[in-house]
Amino acid sequence: TDAFTDDKSAFVETRFAAIRADAARGYGENIDALAALLGEPDRAEFARWMQAHYGELFVGLAAPSELLVRIDARRARES
């Protein structure tokens, strides 16, 4: 992995509970920071997207880092 991937994984690992709470609300500073790390152009849209796909993204995660895999997979299916 590269340093950028490590940064994203470390952020998700350390802020997972807050990211999950923000995703449930559909806004928040942790989702904003995650959007920036992922290069999302519209942070508000990304937060709404996380809220709309909350179950698919968060239910049954084996580890917080799996969230990044699920986000990538879901975004790839939509593009």
Side-chain angles (χ1 to χ4, degrees):
T1 62
D2 59 35
F4 186 65
T5 300
D6 292 343
D7 288 347
K8 293 187 291 185
S9 294
F11 179 77
V12 170
E13 290 283 343
T14 57
R15 303 296 303 157
F16 182 73
I19 291 167
R20 187 175 59 206
D22 283 0
R25 280 193 301 271
Y27 64 90
E29 66 184 37
N30 295 284
I31 289 284
D32 284 352
L34 180 60
L37 281 171
L38 296 177
E40 291 289 337
D42 185 336
R43 293 177 187 180
E45 185 279 327
F46 180 72
R48 289 188 298 270
W49 180 87
M50 291 281 291
Q51 184 181 40
H53 297 94
Y54 183 89
E56 183 179 351
L57 295 172
F58 290 95
V59 173
L61 279 180
S65 59
E66 188 182 334
L67 177 62
L68 294 171
V69 175
R70 289 185 179 190
I71 290 171
D72 286 344
R74 178 69 194 180
R75 289 300 233 192
R77 286 197 307 272
E78 292 176 359
S79 59

